[in-house]
Structure formats: structure tokens, C-alpha cells
Amino acid sequence: AEPSSWQNLNCLKTVGRASNYTAEEISRLKASTKAEIAFYCQLNPNFAQGTALLVLIPVNLKQLLLTGWKWLKGLVKR
């Protein structure tokens, strides 16, 4: 992973494909006052040029088993 300028976190990855946002949409996103959008743009200022934000989601064994059980129940109902 590549470091973000925000607290030097290694949370970015160049994926080699750009977004299809227009220049106006990108400007609006970067000027947004919504906290979550401003934080995302701060973490990943080059999102429109093909940089992705890596996110780790902790999962425990119970969650995996419950998800597997729901998946299996869905297969049986078909």
C-alpha cells in the first residue's frame, strides 16, 4: 500500500483505472462540507486518477459462521 498524506497511513493503492467523474463533479466532491466526503478526499485526494482507498473490516469466526449459515439457507430455498 502507498502512504496517504494524512497521518502517513499506508492505505492507498493505485489501481490503474480512472473514475468517470466529470471535472465539475470532482470539484464539488472536493469542496463538500459533508464530514465523510471531506475526510475521504483528504485521505485520498487522487481518487479520480485511479487511486483506491484500502479498508480493512475486522471479521470474527462467529460472523463468518452466521454468514455461511445464511448463504446455505438461501441455497436450500431455491
Side-chain angles (χ1 to χ4, degrees):
E2 302 156 20
S4 169
S5 60
W6 187 80
Q7 295 190 3
N8 207 32
L9 291 175
N10 290 324
C11 61
L12 302 176
K13 175 72 177 156
T14 301
V15 293
R17 63 175 198 264
S19 72
N20 56 359
Y21 290 124
T22 65
E24 182 181 317
E25 290 171 322
I26 294 168
S27 294
R28 270 190 278 143
L29 284 169
K30 289 185 175 186
S32 177
T33 58
K34 284 188 161 186
E36 61 273 18
I37 295 173
F39 182 65
Y40 178 81
C41 290
Q42 183 181 14
L43 270 172
N44 187 8
N46 298 318
F47 66 91
Q49 289 81 34
T51 301
L53 179 63
L54 301 174
V55 179
L56 297 177
I57 302 171
V59 178
N60 61 39
L61 183 59
K62 180 181 176 184
Q63 290 169 319
L64 286 174
L65 292 173
L66 288 173
T67 300
W69 178 249
K70 287 180 185 179
W71 179 76
L72 286 172
K73 283 180 19 181
L75 286 178
V76 171
K77 289 183 181 181
R78 290 183 185 178

